[in-house]
Amino acid sequence: MRSTASYIRIIAFLFIAYLLIEVTVESGEQSAFITQPLTWLVLGMVLLFIIAIEISLEALRSILFRSLKPDAQERYLLAEKAKKEKQFRWFKNIYLKLLDSKPVESEEEIILDHNYDGIKELDNNLPPWWVYMFYATIIFGIAYLVRFHVFNEYTQAEEYETEVAEAKIAIEKYKKTAKDLVDVNTVTLLTDASDINAGKAVYTTNCVACHKADGGGGIGPNLTDEHWILGGGIKNVFRTISEGGRDGKGMVAWKQTLKPVEMAQVASYIITLVGTTPAEPKEAQGEIWTDPDAQK
């Protein structure tokens, strides 16, 4: 556990375990570590298992070393020292080449004649890494000039409009999955069986007392005919549920009790009741509502 290789192995195996968990656990578009918190426990157990293996290997290595004779131990230590000196030598060589700096003991070769109150100046070369980056910026500048000022591929205004359009598409896509962000302006009729069933559950819990289980109406109006007091359609029904009915004699506002997605679900369920036949329907109230968009 004291060698660099041990830490690299632990990180590598942990990363592989992370990828395997992401692939095998079904979590939709989100990460499995967000939708399934137990995956963190699995990953922690994998980490402990890997650390235990590394400790066991280190203990076995220590036992084998102690079983060697003194001269064999000395040869082993010398071999390990030589191995460490060669470790990452290629990286160290590249690093020194990119610096291209004189060692302290050789600075006398590059000292200039300038002397300011005992402060001397070294004539070091520019670091190659800086020179290469400078050349890269020149090449990038030429490519940019040709692309946007010679061939006029696209302007900043066009790029802005494209990104705004992409952002709007992304926002609409996000709103479809983030149902709690729905409001009266963005609500749409839900048709999935899961949403309708959820709306029925909300209706059964909160609406049956006034509208009856079959929607025929009691204290509240009949929800199965085509007459609506405050307008029909998903937006009007959602608004009525959220803000309440007529002042002083209408339904209370449910926006403080129900979540936006729940109001959208129960509104969609209520619309499915239109055209059904309740056991004891209440007389029609309001006016027949027709969808203006359907007329268009």
Side-chain angles (χ1 to χ4, degrees), residues 93-105:
N93 292 336
I94 293 175
Y95 175 74
L96 293 174
K97 287 181 180 178
L98 289 175
L99 287 181
D100 191 23
S101 59
K102 284 280 186 179
V104 176
E105 56 271 12

mmCIF file with all atom_site columns, all heavy atoms in Angstrom, residues 93-105:
data_model
loop_
_atom_site.group_PDB
_atom_site.id
_atom_site.type_symbol
_atom_site.label_atom_id
_atom_site.label_alt_id
_atom_site.label_comp_id
_atom_site.label_asym_id
_atom_site.label_entity_id
_atom_site.label_seq_id
_atom_site.pdbx_PDB_ins_code
_atom_site.Cartn_x
_atom_site.Cartn_y
_atom_site.Cartn_z
_atom_site.occupancy
_atom_site.B_iso_or_equiv
_atom_site.pdbx_formal_charge
_atom_site.auth_seq_id
_atom_site.auth_comp_id
_atom_site.auth_asym_id
_atom_site.auth_atom_id
_atom_site.pdbx_PDB_model_num
ATOM 1   N N   . ASN A 1 93  ? 12.551 12.678 -18.223 1.00 0.00 ? 93  ASN A N   1
ATOM 2   C CA  . ASN A 1 93  ? 13.378 13.177 -19.329 1.00 0.00 ? 93  ASN A CA  1
ATOM 3   C C   . ASN A 1 93  ? 12.607 14.173 -20.193 1.00 0.00 ? 93  ASN A C   1
ATOM 4   O O   . ASN A 1 93  ? 13.137 15.214 -20.599 1.00 0.00 ? 93  ASN A O   1
ATOM 5   C CB  . ASN A 1 93  ? 13.865 12.014 -20.187 1.00 0.00 ? 93  ASN A CB  1
ATOM 6   C CG  . ASN A 1 93  ? 14.865 11.136 -19.454 1.00 0.00 ? 93  ASN A CG  1
ATOM 7   O OD1 . ASN A 1 93  ? 15.527 11.588 -18.511 1.00 0.00 ? 93  ASN A OD1 1
ATOM 8   N ND2 . ASN A 1 93  ? 14.979 9.879  -19.848 1.00 0.00 ? 93  ASN A ND2 1
ATOM 9   N N   . ILE A 1 94  ? 11.349 13.840 -20.489 1.00 0.00 ? 94  ILE A N   1
ATOM 10  C CA  . ILE A 1 94  ? 10.520 14.761 -21.286 1.00 0.00 ? 94  ILE A CA  1
ATOM 11  C C   . ILE A 1 94  ? 10.307 16.069 -20.533 1.00 0.00 ? 94  ILE A C   1
ATOM 12  O O   . ILE A 1 94  ? 10.366 17.162 -21.122 1.00 0.00 ? 94  ILE A O   1
ATOM 13  C CB  . ILE A 1 94  ? 9.173  14.098 -21.630 1.00 0.00 ? 94  ILE A CB  1
ATOM 14  C CG1 . ILE A 1 94  ? 9.395  12.925 -22.579 1.00 0.00 ? 94  ILE A CG1 1
ATOM 15  C CG2 . ILE A 1 94  ? 8.210  15.109 -22.248 1.00 0.00 ? 94  ILE A CG2 1
ATOM 16  C CD1 . ILE A 1 94  ? 8.139  12.128 -22.875 1.00 0.00 ? 94  ILE A CD1 1
ATOM 17  N N   . TYR A 1 95  ? 10.085 15.967 -19.225 1.00 0.00 ? 95  TYR A N   1
ATOM 18  C CA  . TYR A 1 95  ? 9.870  17.155 -18.405 1.00 0.00 ? 95  TYR A CA  1
ATOM 19  C C   . TYR A 1 95  ? 11.102 18.068 -18.442 1.00 0.00 ? 95  TYR A C   1
ATOM 20  O O   . TYR A 1 95  ? 10.973 19.292 -18.603 1.00 0.00 ? 95  TYR A O   1
ATOM 21  C CB  . TYR A 1 95  ? 9.565  16.727 -16.976 1.00 0.00 ? 95  TYR A CB  1
ATOM 22  C CG  . TYR A 1 95  ? 9.431  17.870 -15.993 1.00 0.00 ? 95  TYR A CG  1
ATOM 23  C CD1 . TYR A 1 95  ? 8.306  18.684 -15.993 1.00 0.00 ? 95  TYR A CD1 1
ATOM 24  C CD2 . TYR A 1 95  ? 10.442 18.124 -15.069 1.00 0.00 ? 95  TYR A CD2 1
ATOM 25  C CE1 . TYR A 1 95  ? 8.194  19.725 -15.092 1.00 0.00 ? 95  TYR A CE1 1
ATOM 26  C CE2 . TYR A 1 95  ? 10.335 19.171 -14.164 1.00 0.00 ? 95  TYR A CE2 1
ATOM 27  C CZ  . TYR A 1 95  ? 9.205  19.969 -14.180 1.00 0.00 ? 95  TYR A CZ  1
ATOM 28  O OH  . TYR A 1 95  ? 9.106  21.008 -13.295 1.00 0.00 ? 95  TYR A OH  1
ATOM 29  N N   . LEU A 1 96  ? 12.279 17.485 -18.318 1.00 0.00 ? 96  LEU A N   1
ATOM 30  C CA  . LEU A 1 96  ? 13.503 18.286 -18.345 1.00 0.00 ? 96  LEU A CA  1
ATOM 31  C C   . LEU A 1 96  ? 13.740 18.907 -19.718 1.00 0.00 ? 96  LEU A C   1
ATOM 32  O O   . LEU A 1 96  ? 14.217 20.043 -19.828 1.00 0.00 ? 96  LEU A O   1
ATOM 33  C CB  . LEU A 1 96  ? 14.700 17.414 -17.944 1.00 0.00 ? 96  LEU A CB  1
ATOM 34  C CG  . LEU A 1 96  ? 14.709 16.926 -16.485 1.00 0.00 ? 96  LEU A CG  1
ATOM 35  C CD1 . LEU A 1 96  ? 15.867 15.963 -16.250 1.00 0.00 ? 96  LEU A CD1 1
ATOM 36  C CD2 . LEU A 1 96  ? 14.797 18.108 -15.522 1.00 0.00 ? 96  LEU A CD2 1
ATOM 37  N N   . LYS A 1 97  ? 13.393 18.155 -20.788 1.00 0.00 ? 97  LYS A N   1
ATOM 38  C CA  . LYS A 1 97  ? 13.554 18.705 -22.142 1.00 0.00 ? 97  LYS A CA  1
ATOM 39  C C   . LYS A 1 97  ? 12.613 19.884 -22.371 1.00 0.00 ? 97  LYS A C   1
ATOM 40  O O   . LYS A 1 97  ? 12.964 20.859 -23.034 1.00 0.00 ? 97  LYS A O   1
ATOM 41  C CB  . LYS A 1 97  ? 13.302 17.614 -23.172 1.00 0.00 ? 97  LYS A CB  1
ATOM 42  C CG  . LYS A 1 97  ? 14.421 16.588 -23.276 1.00 0.00 ? 97  LYS A CG  1
ATOM 43  C CD  . LYS A 1 97  ? 14.109 15.550 -24.340 1.00 0.00 ? 97  LYS A CD  1
ATOM 44  C CE  . LYS A 1 97  ? 15.237 14.521 -24.438 1.00 0.00 ? 97  LYS A CE  1
ATOM 45  N NZ  . LYS A 1 97  ? 14.941 13.466 -25.453 1.00 0.00 ? 97  LYS A NZ  1
ATOM 46  N N   . LEU A 1 98  ? 11.396 19.780 -21.842 1.00 0.00 ? 98  LEU A N   1
ATOM 47  C CA  . LEU A 1 98  ? 10.439 20.866 -22.017 1.00 0.00 ? 98  LEU A CA  1
ATOM 48  C C   . LEU A 1 98  ? 10.840 22.105 -21.220 1.00 0.00 ? 98  LEU A C   1
ATOM 49  O O   . LEU A 1 98  ? 10.497 23.221 -21.600 1.00 0.00 ? 98  LEU A O   1
ATOM 50  C CB  . LEU A 1 98  ? 9.041  20.404 -21.590 1.00 0.00 ? 98  LEU A CB  1
ATOM 51  C CG  . LEU A 1 98  ? 8.358  19.395 -22.514 1.00 0.00 ? 98  LEU A CG  1
ATOM 52  C CD1 . LEU A 1 98  ? 7.037  18.937 -21.923 1.00 0.00 ? 98  LEU A CD1 1
ATOM 53  C CD2 . LEU A 1 98  ? 8.131  19.992 -23.897 1.00 0.00 ? 98  LEU A CD2 1
ATOM 54  N N   . LEU A 1 99  ? 11.558 21.907 -20.119 1.00 0.00 ? 99  LEU A N   1
ATOM 55  C CA  . LEU A 1 99  ? 12.047 23.044 -19.343 1.00 0.00 ? 99  LEU A CA  1
ATOM 56  C C   . LEU A 1 99  ? 13.283 23.677 -19.984 1.00 0.00 ? 99  LEU A C   1
ATOM 57  O O   . LEU A 1 99  ? 13.413 24.899 -20.043 1.00 0.00 ? 99  LEU A O   1
ATOM 58  C CB  . LEU A 1 99  ? 12.376 22.616 -17.913 1.00 0.00 ? 99  LEU A CB  1
ATOM 59  C CG  . LEU A 1 99  ? 11.198 22.324 -16.987 1.00 0.00 ? 99  LEU A CG  1
ATOM 60  C CD1 . LEU A 1 99  ? 11.712 21.937 -15.607 1.00 0.00 ? 99  LEU A CD1 1
ATOM 61  C CD2 . LEU A 1 99  ? 10.276 23.532 -16.884 1.00 0.00 ? 99  LEU A CD2 1
ATOM 62  N N   . ASP A 1 100 ? 14.211 22.819 -20.457 1.00 0.00 ? 100 ASP A N   1
ATOM 63  C CA  . ASP A 1 100 ? 15.463 23.280 -21.074 1.00 0.00 ? 100 ASP A CA  1
ATOM 64  C C   . ASP A 1 100 ? 16.174 24.312 -20.193 1.00 0.00 ? 100 ASP A C   1
ATOM 65  O O   . ASP A 1 100 ? 16.581 25.385 -20.638 1.00 0.00 ? 100 ASP A O   1
ATOM 66  C CB  . ASP A 1 100 ? 15.186 23.875 -22.448 1.00 0.00 ? 100 ASP A CB  1
ATOM 67  C CG  . ASP A 1 100 ? 16.482 24.109 -23.230 1.00 0.00 ? 100 ASP A CG  1
ATOM 68  O OD1 . ASP A 1 100 ? 17.485 23.446 -22.919 1.00 0.00 ? 100 ASP A OD1 1
ATOM 69  O OD2 . ASP A 1 100 ? 16.493 24.972 -24.119 1.00 0.00 ? 100 ASP A OD2 1
ATOM 70  N N   . SER A 1 101 ? 16.278 23.988 -18.916 1.00 0.00 ? 101 SER A N   1
ATOM 71  C CA  . SER A 1 101 ? 16.932 24.905 -17.984 1.00 0.00 ? 101 SER A CA  1
ATOM 72  C C   . SER A 1 101 ? 18.278 24.341 -17.568 1.00 0.00 ? 101 SER A C   1
ATOM 73  O O   . SER A 1 101 ? 18.477 23.127 -17.518 1.00 0.00 ? 101 SER A O   1
ATOM 74  C CB  . SER A 1 101 ? 16.058 25.115 -16.747 1.00 0.00 ? 101 SER A CB  1
ATOM 75  O OG  . SER A 1 101 ? 15.813 23.884 -16.099 1.00 0.00 ? 101 SER A OG  1
ATOM 76  N N   . LYS A 1 102 ? 19.187 25.242 -17.282 1.00 0.00 ? 102 LYS A N   1
ATOM 77  C CA  . LYS A 1 102 ? 20.521 24.852 -16.831 1.00 0.00 ? 102 LYS A CA  1
ATOM 78  C C   . LYS A 1 102 ? 20.479 24.458 -15.361 1.00 0.00 ? 102 LYS A C   1
ATOM 79  O O   . LYS A 1 102 ? 19.804 25.118 -14.568 1.00 0.00 ? 102 LYS A O   1
ATOM 80  C CB  . LYS A 1 102 ? 21.503 26.002 -17.008 1.00 0.00 ? 102 LYS A CB  1
ATOM 81  C CG  . LYS A 1 102 ? 21.948 26.235 -18.443 1.00 0.00 ? 102 LYS A CG  1
ATOM 82  C CD  . LYS A 1 102 ? 23.034 25.260 -18.830 1.00 0.00 ? 102 LYS A CD  1
ATOM 83  C CE  . LYS A 1 102 ? 23.584 25.574 -20.207 1.00 0.00 ? 102 LYS A CE  1
ATOM 84  N NZ  . LYS A 1 102 ? 24.657 24.646 -20.594 1.00 0.00 ? 102 LYS A NZ  1
ATOM 85  N N   . PRO A 1 103 ? 21.152 23.393 -14.972 1.00 0.00 ? 103 PRO A N   1
ATOM 86  C CA  . PRO A 1 103 ? 21.232 23.070 -13.542 1.00 0.00 ? 103 PRO A CA  1
ATOM 87  C C   . PRO A 1 103 ? 22.009 24.154 -12.795 1.00 0.00 ? 103 PRO A C   1
ATOM 88  O O   . PRO A 1 103 ? 22.782 24.911 -13.389 1.00 0.00 ? 103 PRO A O   1
ATOM 89  C CB  . PRO A 1 103 ? 21.965 21.733 -13.526 1.00 0.00 ? 103 PRO A CB  1
ATOM 90  C CG  . PRO A 1 103 ? 22.669 21.640 -14.829 1.00 0.00 ? 103 PRO A CG  1
ATOM 91  C CD  . PRO A 1 103 ? 21.859 22.414 -15.815 1.00 0.00 ? 103 PRO A CD  1
ATOM 92  N N   . VAL A 1 104 ? 21.772 24.226 -11.497 1.00 0.00 ? 104 VAL A N   1
ATOM 93  C CA  . VAL A 1 104 ? 22.373 25.288 -10.690 1.00 0.00 ? 104 VAL A CA  1
ATOM 94  C C   . VAL A 1 104 ? 23.880 25.271 -10.797 1.00 0.00 ? 104 VAL A C   1
ATOM 95  O O   . VAL A 1 104 ? 24.537 26.325 -10.892 1.00 0.00 ? 104 VAL A O   1
ATOM 96  C CB  . VAL A 1 104 ? 21.935 25.132 -9.217  1.00 0.00 ? 104 VAL A CB  1
ATOM 97  C CG1 . VAL A 1 104 ? 22.629 26.172 -8.345  1.00 0.00 ? 104 VAL A CG1 1
ATOM 98  C CG2 . VAL A 1 104 ? 20.426 25.255 -9.094  1.00 0.00 ? 104 VAL A CG2 1
ATOM 99  N N   . GLU A 1 105 ? 24.483 24.074 -10.837 1.00 0.00 ? 105 GLU A N   1
ATOM 100 C CA  . GLU A 1 105 ? 25.944 23.993 -10.866 1.00 0.00 ? 105 GLU A CA  1
ATOM 101 C C   . GLU A 1 105 ? 26.524 24.464 -12.191 1.00 0.00 ? 105 GLU A C   1
ATOM 102 O O   . GLU A 1 105 ? 27.741 24.696 -12.300 1.00 0.00 ? 105 GLU A O   1
ATOM 103 C CB  . GLU A 1 105 ? 26.398 22.559 -10.578 1.00 0.00 ? 105 GLU A CB  1
ATOM 104 C CG  . GLU A 1 105 ? 25.826 21.500 -11.501 1.00 0.00 ? 105 GLU A CG  1
ATOM 105 C CD  . GLU A 1 105 ? 24.516 20.955 -11.005 1.00 0.00 ? 105 GLU A CD  1
ATOM 106 O OE1 . GLU A 1 105 ? 23.929 21.550 -10.078 1.00 0.00 ? 105 GLU A OE1 1
ATOM 107 O OE2 . GLU A 1 105 ? 24.074 19.914 -11.547 1.00 0.00 ? 105 GLU A OE2 1
#
